[in-house]
Amino acid sequence: MPGFLDRAKEQAQSALNQGKQKVDEVQQQRAGNDLLKQLGAAYYAERRGSGTPDATQQALSALEAHIAAHGDGFLRG
């Protein structure tokens, strides 16, 4: 019986780790999408005359930093 309980515990821990990993991936995708949206808004504001090139560059830098740290998977949909 102890062997069965050990295996069940290992399976539960594995499932928990997979769930945590998936949550982290979703959070990283959301953060990337938010940064991409901010870049678009900064660019749009700059083109309309109410934004600055510095704001656009800051948004771009933040997005590039996120991509360097987490990859660009969120860009693929």
Side-chain angles (χ1 to χ4, degrees), residues 20-46:
K20 287 180 181 179
Q21 182 179 5
K22 185 63 177 173
V23 167
D24 288 344
E25 289 173 11
V26 168
Q27 288 175 337
Q28 290 170 5
Q29 286 180 343
R30 285 183 181 167
N33 287 333
D34 288 344
L35 290 169
L36 190 59
K37 184 178 176 181
Q38 290 172 12
L39 175 59
Y43 178 76
Y44 180 75
E46 180 184 346

Side-chain angles (χ1 to χ4, degrees), residues 4 11 17 19 21 23 25 29-31 33-34 42 47 50 52 55-57 62 71 74-75 77:
F4 172 76
Q11 288 177 344
N17 290 339
Q21 182 179 5
V23 167
E25 289 173 11
Q29 286 180 343
R30 285 183 181 167
N33 287 333
D34 288 344
R47 297 293 291 175
S50 61
T52 65
T56 303
Q57 184 58 48
F74 67 95
L75 295 172

Side-chain angles (χ1 to χ4, degrees), residues 46-73:
E46 180 184 346
R47 297 293 291 175
R48 296 221 8 150
S50 61
T52 65
D54 286 340
T56 303
Q57 184 58 48
Q58 287 176 352
L60 179 60
S61 295
L63 179 62
E64 288 174 338
H66 179 81
I67 289 171
H70 305 289
D72 64 354

